[in-house]
Amino acid sequence: MAGQKILVIDDSKVIRVRVREMLPQGNFEVLEAKDGEEGLKLIRQARPNLIMLDFLLPKVSGWEVYQKVQAHPELSKIPLVIMSGREEEVMEKIPKPFEKHFFAFIAKPFEKKQLTEAIKSAMVLAKKKPVPEAPAAAAPTSGAGAAEIQAMTVKMAKMQAEIDALKKQMTQVITIIKQKLK
């Protein structure tokens, strides 16, 4: 893996530094992003060989970064490790088993051995991921149509995330009301 680029997207400098220190020296170029917006920019520019993504990020959430990466055929092939201290928040958006979504999950805080295993797992899963099919109408004149479809897919994913969040809030409200009625 000499010369490989690993992008660590995490709002915690401690985590970014910790990942850098846990990786074998000289084998990787570690790129860092402190929020999802910066992370997406680096993904597009640097085309890393591995993405380590915190799920809870400022500006653009890890969930949104995940969706945008998955919506782009070239980027969706990059091995992905999702990191979070709250696995239940990841499961609200992406149901287990995570492997069926072709990414590895690592719970924070983690040790070097866990990090190494997650990276290996992400590499294996990325190779198993089916190659996304090109749109059927990929004629030169259909560029705008494909862009519209991609934009609509992203909007639908955002709307689904909002619906999921509202469902969770509604469940919490109902639970509180039930507790008050007891």
Side-chain angles (χ1 to χ4, degrees):
M1 295 245 335
Q4 300 289 311
K5 291 183 227 168
I6 295 181
L7 173 58
V8 182
I9 308 171
D10 199 302
D11 55 328
S12 168
K13 183 163 181 71
V14 172
I15 295 292
R16 295 191 313 265
V17 169
R18 186 160 168 79
V19 169
R20 181 185 295 277
E21 290 172 350
M22 287 181 177
L23 295 170
Q25 295 300 314
N27 291 352
F28 307 97
E29 178 185 353
V30 180
L31 308 172
E32 298 180 21
K34 64 184 178 301
D35 58 57
E37 188 177 289
E38 191 178 313
L40 281 169
K41 189 175 170 185
L42 277 170
I43 290 168
R44 290 184 188 111
Q45 289 174 350
R47 299 292 173 141
N49 302 95
L50 173 78
I51 301 168
M52 299 203 56
L53 175 65
D54 183 13
F55 208 66
L56 302 173
L57 291 169
K59 294 187 181 177
V60 177
S61 73
W63 167 239
E64 291 171 291
V65 171
Y66 171 80
Q67 290 176 304
K68 287 178 181 180
V69 166
Q70 296 309 307
H72 190 284
E74 269 309 299
L75 301 179
S76 70
K77 296 176 192 174
I78 300 171
L80 177 66
V81 176
I82 291 184
M83 309 178 288
S84 181
R86 299 193 295 227
E87 185 175 354
E88 62 278 359
E89 291 201 11
V90 177
M91 288 176 11
E92 284 176 17
K93 307 279 189 214
I94 310 169
K96 276 187 158 183
F98 296 135
E99 294 81 18
K100 79 174 189 177
H101 301 283
F102 303 98
F103 70 85
F105 175 81
I106 188 168
K108 292 184 204 175
F110 48 82
E111 298 299 323
K112 184 176 183 174
K113 182 180 179 189
Q114 295 166 306
L115 175 66
T116 304
E117 288 171 6
I119 290 172
K120 286 178 184 175
S121 176
M123 297 293 210
V124 169
L125 290 167
K127 287 179 183 166
K128 291 181 180 179
K129 187 170 187 169
V131 177
E133 292 182 27
T141 57
S142 69
E148 286 176 23
I149 290 170
Q150 186 172 1
M152 288 177 69
T153 303
V154 170
K155 280 184 183 178
M156 282 177 35
K158 282 183 180 179
M159 289 172 65
Q160 185 60 50
E162 290 173 13
I163 289 169
D164 293 343
L166 288 170
K167 282 181 183 178
K168 180 182 177 191
Q169 289 173 352
M170 197 63 166
T171 302
Q172 291 171 338
V173 168
I174 290 170
T175 302
I176 291 168
I177 291 171
K178 284 180 180 178
Q179 289 174 349
K180 297 283 184 188
L181 291 174
K182 287 184 180 181

